[in-house]
Amino acid sequence: MLIHSATQLLTIAGGPQRGRDLGNLGMIEDGAVLVRDEKIIEIGSTPEMRAKHPNEPTLDASGSVLMPGFVDPHTHLIWGGDRAKEFEMRLEGAKYLDILAAGGGIISTVRETRKASIESLLAQARPRLMRMFSTGTTTAEAKTGYGLQTATELRLLKALLALDDEGPLELAITFLGAHAIAPEFTLSGAGKDDPQGYTDLVSETMLPLVKEWWETHAPRHENLPFVDIFCETSAFDLAQSRQVLETAKELGFPLKIHADEFDNLGGASLAAELGAVSADHLVKTSDEDIAVLANSETVAVSLPCTPFGLAEPDYTPAQKMLDAGVILALATDCNPGTAWNESMQFVLALACRSMKLTPAQAIVAATINSAYAIRREDKIGSLEPGKQADMLILSVPDYRQLGYRFGTNLVKKVIKCGRVYSVDMGYYQTA
Ligand code: NIG
Ligand code: FE
């Protein structure tokens, strides 16, 4: 198939873009892409490609931007219930970390999730995936973390593997057993006051078990899942985060961390020290932490929907990070507590306003850099020969409409592994 006549073809070729190099779109005007099966074969200008491939079936992208699918490198995808009531409580003055410390917040979603069957969890997650896919996300990271006990955490892993198999959106799976202290280990959850006990359970029991479970249940996955932890006041302190992540690293898991969302405990520097793939949130990150990140391959994943969702004033200090030479990526953080949003287009719109990214910078942060944040930059995140044919045809001819516009869907067609899905009428189907 030859996709041709794209007003602007954004290749974003050349690998992840660090610091002030961010924003190189590799644009070809009147561009064309030759796709065979799942892969991109060749890229060039429309006249040249049409002349070379006269008998190829065609797909007309005139009047459109043609670009890589969005990669969303931080979502909590799978949970039971909702927290609309807590949203209302926060608007009336309650604070997120206080609600958590009182046994609500993440723990109220844990209660709902533990009660839910795998069928119910799958049924709740699928519409979220459909909204992600129809707004242009072709690969997403997805975390466990609302079980906080071995059996439920394994059920969540199983559900995520099933959703990845169903497709069309692909998932990069993360084990977040250390999302909060399980209620059995806190007084507010009516257990004993023993956060260290839960930390030991995660590092000594759950991690080796998850490794063994994964190796038997996910044979088609080359790598172990990521291991993530919420390093924060009222969750895991820096020493506990180090304990869990060091154990995970010894077992061979790639690492991620939630750091500096509300308080700076030093999680970003810990991530860089341990060679974590990414450090996420990074709102209260210090200049020293930024310098450490800049000297590492750890991707800074900014989640602007979270301060927006919490109506908090502070966002990731992205301009300082770019000045220092950090690799910056963007994600939704889609979750029931702080940021229930599936659309990367909305993330771009927020990033442009709250962090003063240009549309070009935001697009790169949401494609090749976010692919690097799940270490899939060799397969997805840009349009280059040999890469997977994951692409978007937008309903607009100028890439700057991304970021500029918000609240509606600018994606007309999603191409996933070479298959074309029409999404512009609010539903999707195979074309
Ligand atoms: O990334 N901060 C920890 N985890 C989520 C929130 C989860 C929740 O509130 O349910 C986040 O914001
Ligand atoms: Fe998160």
Side-chain angles (χ1 to χ4, degrees):
M1 171 178 59
L2 185 68
I3 310 171
H4 65 87
S5 306
T7 309
Q8 297 179 342
L9 165 60
L10 314 182
T11 66
I12 319 186
Q17 299 179 18
R18 183 183 280 279
R20 288 281 158 210
D21 290 338
L22 186 68
N24 186 352
L25 295 173
M27 184 158 78
I28 300 173
E29 287 178 13
D30 194 14
V33 178
L34 180 67
V35 173
R36 295 243 169 89
D37 301 322
E38 303 200 341
K39 294 250 163 81
I40 295 170
I41 304 294
E42 197 182 336
I43 293 179
S45 74
T46 296
E48 165 207 348
M49 295 278 281
R50 269 185 176 289
K52 271 172 94 174
H53 306 284
N55 301 321
E56 197 71 26
T58 57
L59 180 64
D60 186 354
S62 56
S64 295
V65 173
L66 175 62
M67 61 174 284
F70 293 119
V71 179
D72 184 348
H74 184 136
T75 86
H76 295 258
L77 187 62
I78 188 119
W79 72 79
D82 71 69
R83 305 235 291 279
K85 181 166 181 353
E86 288 183 10
F87 173 60
E88 191 175 59
M89 283 163 64
R90 288 204 311 274
L91 293 174
E92 289 165 352
K95 298 308 267 179
Y96 178 85
L97 286 183
D98 295 340
I99 297 173
L100 175 62
I106 293 170
I107 301 304
S108 65
T109 301
V110 166
R111 278 189 224 102
E112 293 296 315
T113 305
R114 286 179 177 183
K115 279 192 296 203
S117 65
I118 190 158
E119 291 74 22
S120 160
L121 291 168
L122 291 169
Q124 292 179 72
R126 282 190 193 104
R128 295 172 202 146
L129 280 167
M130 202 204 76
R131 286 189 287 272
M132 286 181 187
F133 191 70
S134 60
T135 52
T137 299
T138 44
T139 301
E141 184 261 14
K143 304 173 196 296
T144 70
Y146 292 112
L148 309 187
Q149 62 187 180
T150 306
T152 312
E153 285 292 318
L154 291 180
R155 189 154 86 248
L156 296 176
L157 278 179
K158 194 170 166 191
L160 291 173
L161 282 168
L163 292 169
D164 182 42
D165 282 343
E166 280 176 25
L169 198 152
E170 283 176 286
L171 298 177
I173 298 171
T174 296
F175 173 70
L176 179 57
H179 193 189
I181 307 297
E184 292 75 15
F185 296 81
T186 66
L187 295 176
S188 60
K192 54 184 180 200
D193 181 22
D194 186 16
Q196 186 56 42
Y198 185 63
T199 310
D200 294 341
L201 181 71
V202 172
S203 61
E204 289 162 21
T205 307
M206 286 192 194
L207 288 177
L209 201 88
V210 165
K211 181 178 159 106
E212 197 189 306
W213 185 91
W214 188 268
E215 283 163 356
T216 38
H217 291 80
R220 84 177 176 82
H221 291 255
E222 295 155 26
N223 300 318
L224 287 172
F226 296 101
V227 166
D228 193 350
I229 187 164
F230 188 20
C231 177
E232 188 61 65
T233 309
S234 303
F236 297 86
D237 67 23
L238 188 66
Q240 291 164 340
S241 302
R242 178 182 285 282
Q243 176 188 335
V244 169
L245 292 179
E246 278 183 348
T247 308
K249 187 176 175 173
E250 279 162 29
L251 290 167
F253 290 98
L255 309 178
K256 288 179 168 282
I257 192 168
H258 281 65
D260 307 338
E261 180 177 355
F262 299 98
D263 293 315
N264 183 326
L265 305 190
S269 291
L270 175 68
E273 179 197 324
L274 297 180
V277 168
S278 74
D280 301 33
H281 284 292
L282 304 181
V283 174
K284 298 291 159 64
T285 309
S286 69
D287 293 353
E288 292 72 28
D289 291 317
I290 290 174
V292 173
L293 284 174
N295 269 309
S296 77
E297 289 300 315
T298 302
V299 179
V301 178
S302 176
L303 311 166
C305 290
T306 307
F308 177 81
L310 291 167
E312 295 284 348
D314 296 335
Y315 287 78
T316 301
Q319 295 300 325
K320 281 188 180 179
M321 289 183 172
L322 296 182
D323 285 341
V326 171
I327 305 168
L328 183 71
L330 291 168
T332 59
D333 194 21
C334 184
N335 77 77
T338 62
W340 190 339
N341 162 55
E342 291 90 353
S343 170
M344 286 294 282
Q345 293 174 65
F346 185 63
V347 173
L348 267 63
L350 278 182
C352 291
R353 286 163 185 78
S354 62
M355 300 188 277
K356 298 287 183 283
L357 298 189
T358 63
Q361 290 174 327
I363 289 168
V364 175
T367 52
I368 192 66
N369 281 15
S370 51
Y372 193 46
I374 53 169
R375 291 299 191 262
R376 295 203 183 173
E377 75 289 352
D378 55 334
K379 289 201 181 72
I380 55 174
S382 65
L383 304 185
E384 297 176 78
K387 278 197 150 177
Q388 206 163 287
D390 289 6
M391 294 182 260
L392 308 178
I393 298 178
L394 305 186
S395 59
V396 291
D398 182 334
Y399 72 85
R400 290 170 300 189
Q401 299 260 350
L402 286 174
Y404 165 52
R405 290 169 64 175
F406 53 93
T408 49
N409 189 6
L410 301 182
V411 172
K412 188 156 83 177
K413 287 185 170 26
V414 179
I415 299 158
K416 177 64 188 173
C417 291
R419 293 186 66 178
V420 183
Y421 300 80
S422 293
V423 298
D424 54 341
M425 298 302 287
Y427 59 86
Y428 75 92
Q429 62 187 31
T430 308

